Amino acid sequence: MKTHIVDRLQAHDIKPSAQRIAILEYLMENYTHPTADTIFNHLYPSMPTLSKTTVYNTLKLLAQQGAINEITIDEKNVRYDADISPHAHFRCKYCGSMFDLPIKRLPSVVTEKIDGFMITDTQLYYRGYCKKCKAIVPWLC
Amino acid sequence: MKTHIVDRLQAHDIKPSAQRIAILEYLMENYTHPTADTIFNHLYPSMPTLSKTTVYNTLKLLAQQGAINEITIDEKNVRYDADISPHAHFRCKYCGSMFDLPIKRLPSVVTEKIDGFMITDTQLYYRGYCKKCKAIVPWLC
DNA sequence: CTTTGTGCAAATTCTTTGCACCAAA
DNA sequence: TTTGGTGCAAAGAATTTGCACAAAG
């Protein structure tokens, strides 16, 4: 039942544990780019011994091992995304809502500069105002 | 002498003040993607009445008005960049060094999703290991 | 005057650390 | 029985807030 989650953990050299499975499962069922705090609050009721430290530890480990992505589009807190396929993110500066944006192709950089570097993570962010907020507070734009 | 700085402020509807000029001037002379703290520490000696609050206020205002860019590649603190022309950023996850990366073209997103949105800011980040760190600690990569 | 900017101190918020306990191999 | 994972409480760091004073138009 939860084999795909365990598989994903193991594929990234992470030993499964109840907490790690729960956290990754949450991310794989909620592509809402949640914060550590949001994840904790959602899991806590059904896992009352869970601690925030473990959530932080686990998210860091998952990101480090490439099992999930760290999204830093929000200046306040880091967000997490289990969708590691290439896509961009949009965030509304007024209401804070976030959307995934499909991209045609991964942007290419001039390669000389990158020569000898090891790129582990590429992030493309768009910030601005969403349709709803543009309508409500057009003077902001 | 500092007319280009005052011009830039006014072009973005920001009234010039000694503090605002000093902060924008620092950014325009130091394309090092500094943090608020770094800027404060560099300006403080020659401006002993300057407060960190003002640095934060000013940077937020400058970014809001599009006079500078907020860089959130570093999970720990926001960095600032007076170069608002399209370019990408690289950050080494081991030593923390940052480089600008020229890009061939701004990446294009599938436009339907963006229709009706107002994009004010586009950021492209690459994270990984720089040449130096790759050589020193190859086992990290 | 009246509005806008500045700066101090305190508060808040997110995240990390130190350490003790538990659990699994 | 040794290693690695978890969780609590406390610490730390970046940023924001409330408020009073100063400056500029």
Side-chain angles (χ1 to χ4, degrees):
Chain A
M1 187 169 129
K2 288 178 182 173
T3 33
H4 63 296
I5 297 162
V6 173
D7 288 349
R8 176 121 156 210
L9 288 171
Q10 288 172 341
H12 292 274
D13 295 316
I14 300 169
K15 287 192 199 147
S17 76
Q19 292 85 339
R20 290 171 179 179
I21 291 170
I23 291 166
L24 182 53
E25 184 178 37
Y26 181 85
L27 281 169
M28 290 176 78
E29 288 175 351
N30 298 276
Y31 286 90
T32 51
H33 320 98
T35 63
D37 199 62
T38 304
I39 298 170
F40 173 80
N41 289 138
H42 276 86
L43 296 181
Y44 185 72
S46 55
M47 212 180 203
T49 65
L50 182 67
S51 79
K52 240 176 216 180
T53 304
T54 298
V55 176
Y56 276 109
N57 285 344
T58 301
L59 290 170
K60 185 184 246 183
L61 178 67
L62 290 168
Q64 213 158 254
Q65 297 299 110
I68 61 172
N69 268 147
E70 260 185 22
I71 312 289
T72 57
I73 196 173
D74 177 353
E75 314 76 44
K76 290 262 183 185
N77 19 230
V78 181
R79 295 170 172 277
Y80 294 91
D81 192 352
D83 180 359
I84 50 177
S85 71
H87 65 285
H89 292 103
F90 170 85
R91 179 166 185 277
C92 177
K93 294 201 276 188
Y94 191 69
C95 68
S97 62
M98 277 188 65
F99 305 98
D100 284 327
L101 293 175
I103 49 176
K104 288 177 189 160
R105 69 181 152 279
L106 268 175
S108 58
V109 285
V110 174
T111 49
E112 311 98 65
K113 280 286 251 183
I114 291 232
D115 232 30
F117 288 34
M118 153 134 236
I119 306 286
T120 58
D121 185 15
T122 305
Q123 294 288 321
L124 175 55
Y125 300 142
Y126 293 89
R127 285 191 264 245
Y129 300 100
C130 71
K131 203 179 272 195
K132 215 188 297 176
C133 290
K134 246 185 79 180
I136 298 170
V137 282
W139 54 86
L140 273 177
C141 317
Chain B
M1 187 170 127
K2 290 179 182 174
T3 34
H4 64 296
I5 296 162
V6 173
D7 288 348
R8 177 123 155 207
L9 288 171
Q10 288 172 341
H12 292 274
D13 296 316
I14 299 168
K15 288 190 200 151
S17 76
Q19 291 85 340
R20 291 172 178 177
I21 291 170
I23 291 166
L24 182 53
E25 182 177 39
Y26 180 84
L27 281 170
M28 290 176 78
E29 287 175 352
N30 298 276
Y31 285 89
T32 51
H33 320 98
T35 64
D37 199 63
T38 305
I39 297 169
F40 173 80
N41 289 138
H42 277 86
L43 295 182
Y44 185 71
S46 55
M47 212 180 203
T49 66
L50 182 66
S51 80
K52 238 176 217 181
T53 302
T54 298
V55 176
Y56 277 110
N57 286 343
T58 301
L59 290 170
K60 184 182 249 187
L61 178 66
L62 290 168
Q64 211 159 256
Q65 298 299 109
I68 61 172
N69 268 147
E70 260 185 22
I71 312 288
T72 57
I73 197 173
D74 177 354
E75 315 75 44
K76 291 262 184 189
N77 19 229
V78 181
R79 294 170 173 278
Y80 295 91
D81 191 352
D83 180 359
I84 50 178
S85 71
H87 65 285
H89 293 103
F90 171 85
R91 180 166 185 277
C92 177
K93 293 201 278 188
Y94 191 70
C95 68
S97 62
M98 278 187 65
F99 306 98
D100 285 325
L101 292 175
I103 49 176
K104 287 177 189 160
R105 69 179 152 281
L106 268 174
S108 58
V109 284
V110 174
T111 49
E112 311 97 64
K113 280 288 253 184
I114 292 231
D115 231 31
F117 288 33
M118 152 133 239
I119 306 286
T120 58
D121 185 14
T122 304
Q123 294 289 320
L124 175 56
Y125 300 143
Y126 293 90
R127 285 190 264 246
Y129 299 100
C130 71
K131 204 179 271 197
K132 216 188 297 172
C133 290
K134 247 186 76 180
I136 298 170
V137 281
W139 53 86
L140 273 178
C141 317

